[in-house]
Amino acid sequence: MFSKLAKVANAAFAVTLGAALLGTGAGAAQAEPGPPVVGGGSGIIIDNQFECTVTTVGHDGAGRLVGLTAGHCGDPGAEVFAEVNRGAGVVGRFVYSNHELDYAVIEFEPGKIIPVNRIGNVTITGLGAPAQFPMIVCKEGRTTGNTCGISWGDVFGSNMETWSQMCVVEGDSGAPVVIGTTLVGMVNAYLAIACFGPEVGTNMTAIIDDMNARGGIGAGYTPI
């Protein structure tokens, strides 16, 4: 996806929101009572090295508890920790990563998280079509929290991505993009300058269509 983005952007600079490096001063992880609460907008730590944001948590057609995040955050087998409670240990693993659409599927271990549909100021009640100009979209990211902006729509007619004017930086990768309470996409990149250049993200319709066509873990996905 982002190799195509770089071509059509010509002289502009498309910056993929590479997973933020885990802060070196984080200190030892302390376990808190009970499983961590995780939903769209939650911070996750991948392989004890990188930080990204969960797009959504729900069940696939086989009843497995799964979640989505950006594809550049990890490859199959990567371990997932909940940022809110690293001491809880591994709560899931990447089982699929699509670098063309830049999304990944996480399978959570039974009983290791409490899945929710609201984190911060974003609630997810369903999935919807991509945002069009001049709709207002919002996101909840582990780095910059809740920000909103105008949608520029599918600027280059890719049928995969939508551009918007939301503030995003590293670590917000995978953050849910919503219109009201409808999940329409995820955060993947920004153009040129963080929080000033437009944000670019994959549409949920493209992700769901790909998961269903591929089959396996994630197919038939429904959010909590």
Side-chain angles (χ1 to χ4, degrees), residues 167-206:
C167 172
V168 298
V169 300
E170 285 73 9
D172 288 331
S173 296
V177 178
V178 299
I179 300 173
T181 63
T182 301
L183 179 64
V184 298
M186 72 164 59
V187 169
N188 294 98
Y190 60 80
L191 198 66
I193 302 173
C195 285
F196 291 96
E199 171 270 341
V200 188
T202 308
N203 299 330
M204 283 305 301
T205 50

Side-chain angles (χ1 to χ4, degrees), residues 1 5 43 45 55 62 87 93 115 119 121 134 159 173 195 199 208 213 216 220:
M1 173 180 177
L5 172 62
I45 299 169
T55 311
R93 287 175 173 80
I119 295 291
N121 290 315
N159 294 317
S173 296
C195 285
E199 171 270 341
I208 296 298

